[in-house]
């Protein structure tokens, strides 16, 4: 399924570098998501992207952990992934919950709530984001960040 503005998930060459990991639906799992992000980007000499990518990955993983854990029985499997493109970094989070991500509109009492701003952060830090159904069930939420140095 394309991004809400119709942007499809970008096609990436099969030979592009990638990294994946599964995390637990817990506080420790989210810590693993942060360290996996920093370690992967360090290995790829992309430390300049680390802060934004870590925040985006943490927000996507937190959404998956929160919603998959409450809606899916047992220990749901949440998988994180990175794929390095020539000028972009593609982040993915796959969980077993079939429901699409919901971006809350800004304003009103939502501004004061502790939760519910994650996808607005993802939207602000990424060039594009979206989701598509996963096979056989669940969904994958993705975000694309630039790897170009700031100008």
């Amino acid at each position: 399924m394309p991004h809400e503005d119709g942007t499809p998930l970008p096609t990436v060459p099969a030979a592009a570098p990638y990294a994946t990991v599964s995390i637990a639906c817990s506080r420790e799992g989210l810590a693993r998501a942060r360290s996996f992000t920093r370690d992967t980007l360090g290995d790829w000499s992309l430390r300049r992207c680390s802060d934004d990518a870590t925040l985006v990955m943490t927000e996507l993983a937190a959404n998956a952990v929160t919603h998959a854990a409450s809606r899916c029985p047992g220990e749901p499997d949440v998988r994180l992934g990175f794929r390095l493109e020539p000028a972009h970094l593609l982040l993915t989070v796959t969980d077993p919950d079939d429901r699409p991500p919901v971006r809350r509109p800004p304003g009103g009492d939502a501004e004061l709530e502790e939760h519910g701003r994650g996808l607005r952060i993802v939207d602000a830090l990424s060039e594009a984001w979206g989701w598509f159904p996963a096979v056989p069930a669940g969904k994958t939420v993705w975000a694309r960040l630039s790897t170009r140095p700031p100008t």
Side-chain angles (χ1 to χ4, degrees), residues 4 56 59-60 63 100-104 116-126 129-130 141-142:
E4 57 199 8
V56 168
E59 291 297 336
L60 294 178
N63 283 349
V102 177
R103 183 175 172 253
R104 291 188 186 174
R117 296 184 301 260
L119 290 177
R120 285 191 284 166
I121 292 169
V122 171
D123 193 49
L125 294 177
S126 61
W129 71 274
V141 182
W142 59 270

Side-chain angles (χ1 to χ4, degrees), residues 2-28:
H3 180 259
E4 57 199 8
D5 69 1
T7 308
L9 180 66
T11 304
V12 181
Y18 69 93
T20 62
V21 69
S22 290
I23 63 167
C25 289
S26 65
R27 202 173 289 221
E28 293 78 18

Side-chain angles (χ1 to χ4, degrees), residues 26-47:
S26 65
R27 202 173 289 221
E28 293 78 18
L30 295 176
R32 176 75 178 118
R34 289 187 290 276
S35 64
F36 172 67
T37 301
R38 287 188 207 104
D39 293 347
T40 300
L41 296 183
D43 291 346
W44 291 350
S45 300
L46 290 172
R47 292 197 193 283

Side-chain angles (χ1 to χ4, degrees), residues 61-147:
N63 283 349
V65 164
T66 299
H67 299 292
S70 65
R71 294 187 183 132
C72 302
E75 282 287 322
D77 185 25
V78 175
R79 293 181 314 278
L80 314 180
F82 289 103
R83 185 170 297 269
L84 185 59
E85 302 174 5
H88 298 95
L89 180 65
L90 184 66
L91 291 72
T92 61
V93 176
T94 302
D95 70 68
D97 185 9
D98 291 326
R99 296 182 189 194
V102 177
R103 183 175 172 253
R104 291 188 186 174
D109 292 336
E111 293 296 323
L112 301 175
E113 291 182 15
E114 184 177 346
H115 303 285
R117 296 184 301 260
L119 290 177
R120 285 191 284 166
I121 292 169
V122 171
D123 193 49
L125 294 177
S126 61
E127 290 184 341
W129 71 274
W131 73 279
F132 57 90
V135 176
K139 69 180 169 299
T140 297
V141 182
W142 59 270
R144 187 176 63 224
L145 281 70
S146 174
T147 57

